[in-house]
Amino acid sequence: QQLNIQHRTSDPCDACAGQSIRSTPNTRPKGFTLIEILVVITIIGILMGLLFPAIKGAITKGKCAKAQSEVKSIENAVRAYYTEYGVYPGTSGSDANYGLSSTANGSLISILMSNNTKKVVFLEVPSKSLVGGNFVDPWNNQYEITIDGNYDGNCVGGTYTVNNKPVIVWSWGPDKTKGNKDDILSWQ
């Protein structure tokens, strides 16, 4: 019998026979760390803080434009009623005031919406703008309306007195306070 003796060397590469000598990079699990998520949330929060006032301003401007359109529509409807009937609606010899400062505007709005003898529609009001039968502005205040019921060419009463206008309409505006600079006026 023959003994087969092999000589082994102490070469370190021999111990790793069949394995790659290169080291593999540390692999981490897929996904985001808590720090990365917090940074993104913080950035989004800062952007929202910068954009919110601009968005709020645009919404307020849109509501003001809507109210300006609606006060003109009411004024034109009262004038059209006068053209059709030869008298102003809801007046009885003196200037008539409708809205929060006096009589609710619902009775006048009803006349202009077709509750008149000829059933003519002088004013169309979206149902969401009618609250309790009253025409309200975008801030849920009734529109104020003064009509020259004594036919002297001047509207007297309510918050404003205006000369040479047979009908005036206004909204209290965004601050919901009458008689200040943000009121939306039909005559300006």
Side-chain angles (χ1 to χ4, degrees):
Q1 295 186 337
Q2 199 178 19
L3 278 176
N4 196 2
I5 300 176
Q6 293 182 348
H7 185 277
R8 295 215 165 223
T9 62
S10 62
D11 187 1
C13 287
D14 286 345
C16 301
Q19 294 184 10
S20 170
I21 323 178
R22 292 164 136 189
S23 65
T24 57
N26 289 342
T27 59
R28 61 177 212 189
K30 294 181 180 180
F32 298 105
T33 66
L34 180 61
I35 298 293
E36 291 169 331
I37 291 171
L38 290 175
V39 167
V40 169
I41 290 172
T42 302
I43 291 170
I44 290 171
I46 291 169
L47 291 174
M48 293 285 289
L50 294 173
L51 292 176
F52 184 72
I55 292 169
K56 186 176 179 186
I59 290 170
T60 300
K61 283 183 181 181
K63 286 181 176 182
C64 287
K66 178 182 180 188
Q68 184 65 47
S69 172
E70 290 175 344
V71 296
K72 287 294 187 183
S73 294
I74 296 168
E75 179 184 17
N76 291 335
V78 171
R79 289 174 183 261
Y81 183 97
Y82 178 81
T83 301
E84 183 70 29
Y85 290 101
V87 295
Y88 289 113
T91 61
S92 58
S94 63
D95 290 356
N97 297 296
Y98 297 93
L100 290 172
S101 298
S102 55
T103 306
N105 72 24
S107 60
L108 174 65
I109 297 303
S110 176
I111 292 168
L112 297 174
M113 288 177 65
S114 75
N115 191 14
N116 52 66
T117 54
K118 295 181 183 178
K119 303 297 180 202
V120 177
V121 176
F122 297 102
L123 180 67
E124 292 183 11
V125 180
S127 60
K128 67 181 180 178
S129 295
L130 286 174
V131 175
N134 299 305
F135 193 3
V136 296
D137 65 13
W139 303 278
N140 286 329
N141 289 317
Q142 289 183 46
Y143 284 108
E144 299 270 345
I145 306 159
T146 298
I147 300 172
D148 179 19
N150 61 5
Y151 302 92
D152 66 354
N154 302 314
C155 286
V156 179
T159 306
Y160 295 98
T161 297
V162 178
N163 298 324
N164 301 317
K165 290 283 185 180
V167 59
I168 59 173
V169 184
W170 67 96
S171 162
W172 290 8
D175 71 353
K176 301 181 179 186
T177 304
K178 65 180 179 177
N180 60 23
K181 66 181 180 176
D182 80 335
D183 288 1
I184 293 149
L185 313 171
S186 68
W187 62 93
Q188 291 182 342

